Amino acid sequence: MPQIDIEAVKTYLLNLQDNICTAVEAADTQEKFLQDQWDREEGGGGRSRVLANGKVFEQAGINFSHVYGKQLPPSATDKRPELAGCQFQAMGVSLVIHPKNPYVPTSHANVRFFVAEKPNHDPIWWFGGGFDLTPYYPFEQDVKDWHQAAKTICQPYGDDIYPKFKAWCDEYFFLKHRSEPRGVGGLFFDDLNQWGFERSFNFMQAVGNGYLSAYLPIIEKRKDTAYGEREREFQLYRRGRYVEFNLLYDRGTLFGIQSGGRTESILMSLPPLVKWQYNWQPEPNSPEAELYNNYLITKDWV
Amino acid sequence: MPQIDIEAVKTYLLNLQDNICTAVEAADTQEKFLQDQWDREEGGGGRSRVLANGKVFEQAGINFSHVYGKQLPPSATDKRPELAGCQFQAMGVSLVIHPKNPYVPTSHANVRFFVAEKPNHDPIWWFGGGFDLTPYYPFEQDVKDWHQAAKTICQPYGDDIYPKFKAWCDEYFFLKHRSEPRGVGGLFFDDLNQWGFERSFNFMQAVGNGYLSAYLPIIEKRKDTAYGEREREFQLYRRGRYVEFNLLYDRGTLFGIQSGGRTESILMSLPPLVKWQYNWQPEPNSPEAELYNNYLITKDWV
């Protein structure tokens, strides 16, 4: 019988949120996170933390939630009929960081754990998560370093893991209506239980811990790059794609919205200021065209 | 056998787009519409027109499209299995106007005609459409006038028509995840064919023509109202709800996106500049609270 340790996962996730908040505050040097602790009527709750109008970060939202219920919603059991009638719990940390400087990429990370239980059955559980990077004015070395960090995290789990979860990330963070990736990707995994609890949990921790090690150096290198109106405008324009992805495609966002989740915590991922401009196209050979031509493509970075 | 005149509808819609553009340009006094004519690979095309950075209008997008195909997509036949295997055509004018001054409401209007045909059957057709108003700093008289105009349009078609289509509008333009109406409503109708072609077409024309008569006086009355940073900020914040509605719920937007429509024309409805702010709440007794308490509610305005 599989041994799962739900409390250990919860403790890890709460600590992860704390650690990331501490590191982000240190990197910002100016603003602090504000926290809202909330309860969910059907069971569970969370800690939503937002740092706004910082020196480095225009907005950073880092959410921990642990929700549970007596019965899975139909949208969750459609594809896994064996889960119908199960009690469930889901917990995770999810974050999106929108820096002020257009030379610092936006980043997103998420780690989650799901357990469904019914009497006289072993619990059904899995881990999911990943992280991905969305640059505006990318530096090739940063993207390589980001993917190298992702690969290093995966390496102990097998040579095929990084290519598999990298490809899954490319596939997931894709805006079909624009035939455009959201950014330069990273890792994405779901339904992870085939390694057993211990090893799967270890992998999730490696991803959670690895996110900061991958992102912080990029912030440090780019946060003081001089920029003007042009770069800012392009950043605001590109942020529109983030909104489009999250509201049109992101499963976590849509599931949260549809299942009566806490709207303000779910939509913390949306950028603080966004522009849309009809039929805007980058000028050929411009730095903006560089993003589209050389980065918003499916590519092996390491 | 019912007589339908597809060309007459198309001619009306093209003229309606022209007339609205002319009136909006006249109201703006500064900027003109730019047009993109486009073709759709599977059949049909459209004329997308955008006026940007005007004196009165920050962005006005007015789209005509006429698309047809050999087979309806499954999403369109799920609820009407009698349409499976039909050739179809859909045509309409759809517009969203985002004024610069926060005292001038955003408005949206749409009129559309749908025809499905198969050999040896009478064509199946219907009209749909409506218009609705989204104020930031509302004036009660404006909202009453807007709804009075809507009622006057409906009156010749029966006493029950305005209440019915007004309620449908309230129901449709509702953000479930915030338990909040998008604005103060207006009219919404769909599947209209029970009056026969001539009368249904007349009603659609009354709605199409009536939109400007309802909206222009509000623009004229409010466009020179003085405003500052505070009003602008609130306008940008509230525009976020427009984005949320259109990307999460609007059937036309989602159908267009999912069926491979022209993305730039579909997303012309999104506001040019938008803010999100975590957990923002209006101050009690402020003009912003007034919007929530006295206007973003279901109410009989006439």
Side-chain angles (χ1 to χ4, degrees), chain A residues 56-59 97-102 104-106 134-136 175 182 227 231-246 269-276 291-292, chain B residues 243 247 273-276:
Chain A
V56 174
F57 304 109
E58 198 169 327
Q59 183 174 295
I97 293 183
H98 294 287
K100 207 192 265 181
N101 190 317
V104 185
T106 287
T134 308
Y136 306 92
L175 289 85
R182 181 166 86 170
Y227 68 93
E231 290 83 1
R232 175 67 172 167
E233 290 289 302
F234 184 58
Q235 179 197 45
L236 299 186
Y237 174 77
R238 290 291 316 168
R239 283 178 174 174
R241 301 294 209 271
Y242 223 84
V243 176
E244 291 174 22
F245 182 84
N246 285 14
S269 63
L270 300 182
L273 191 65
V274 186
K275 275 191 102 155
W276 274 275
L291 173 72
Y292 288 82
Chain B
V243 176
L247 297 183
L273 191 66
V274 186
K275 275 191 102 154
W276 273 275

Side-chain angles (χ1 to χ4, degrees), chain A residues 78-92:
Chain A
D78 268 3
K79 289 189 182 166
R80 298 181 76 128
E82 75 275 18
L83 301 183
C86 282
Q87 292 185 51
F88 73 98
Q89 44 185 315
M91 54 177 84

Side-chain angles (χ1 to χ4, degrees), chain B residues 61-258:
Chain B
I62 306 187
N63 206 33
F64 164 83
S65 67
H66 177 201
V67 304
Y68 40 87
K70 289 213 177 76
Q71 201 152 347
L72 273 166
S75 62
T77 57
D78 267 3
K79 288 190 181 165
R80 299 180 76 130
E82 75 275 18
L83 301 182
C86 282
Q87 292 186 51
F88 75 98
Q89 44 185 314
M91 55 177 83
V93 167
S94 187
L95 66 95
V96 175
I97 293 182
H98 294 288
K100 206 188 270 181
N101 191 316
Y103 287 99
V104 185
T106 287
S107 77
H108 158 255
N110 169 241
V111 282
R112 55 189 181 271
F113 181 50
F114 188 94
V115 187
E117 291 172 288
K118 54 183 164 186
N120 307 318
H121 281 77
D122 287 344
I124 297 166
W125 57 266
W126 66 87
F127 290 95
F131 51 65
D132 67 288
L133 194 72
T134 308
Y136 306 92
Y137 292 93
F139 296 84
E140 194 181 357
Q141 195 55 54
D142 294 352
V143 181
K144 287 183 169 171
D145 291 347
W146 175 263
H147 275 277
Q148 185 56 59
K151 190 176 179 181
T152 304
I153 289 165
C154 297
Q155 203 56 55
Y157 299 83
D159 288 348
D160 55 332
I161 298 307
Y162 167 72
K164 189 176 154 189
F165 292 169
K166 188 265 186 201
W168 202 346
C169 189
D170 288 341
E171 192 195 319
Y172 181 80
F173 292 104
F174 190 79
L175 288 85
K176 288 180 209 76
H177 63 296
R178 296 191 183 270
S179 292
E180 201 182 281
R182 181 166 86 170
V184 297
L187 297 175
F188 183 93
F189 65 101
D190 205 356
D191 303 314
L192 183 69
N193 65 5
Q194 65 274 25
W195 293 339
F197 176 79
E198 205 57 41
R199 192 172 166 84
S200 302
F201 181 27
N202 282 340
F203 180 74
M204 187 201 74
Q205 292 176 72
V207 171
N209 303 337
Y211 160 72
L212 268 184
S213 329
Y215 191 41
L216 287 177
I218 300 176
I219 299 171
E220 286 310 313
K221 266 158 100 176
R222 309 304 169 196
K223 73 186 164 69
D224 297 319
T225 311
Y227 69 93
E229 191 66 15
R230 170 184 179 145
E231 290 84 1
R232 175 67 173 167
E233 289 290 301
F234 184 58
Q235 179 197 46
L236 299 186
Y237 174 77
R238 290 291 314 166
R239 282 178 175 174
R241 301 294 210 272
Y242 222 84
V243 176
E244 291 174 22
F245 182 84
N246 285 14
L247 297 183
L248 288 172
Y249 301 110
D250 187 63
R251 283 178 220 154
T253 303
L254 297 180
F255 176 81
I257 291 285
Q258 287 162 8

Side-chain angles (χ1 to χ4, degrees), chain A residues 41-56:
Chain A
E41 208 171 296
E42 300 78 13
R47 301 195 306 206
S48 296
R49 294 184 183 165
V50 179
L51 181 157
N53 303 312
K55 192 173 164 193
V56 174

Side-chain angles (χ1 to χ4, degrees), chain A residues 36 177 263-264 274 278-279, chain B residues 36 177 263-264 274 278-279:
Chain A
D36 280 324
H177 63 297
T263 294
E264 289 293 337
V274 186
Y278 172 74
N279 220 10
Chain B
D36 280 322
H177 63 296
T263 294
E264 289 293 337
V274 186
Y278 171 75
N279 221 9

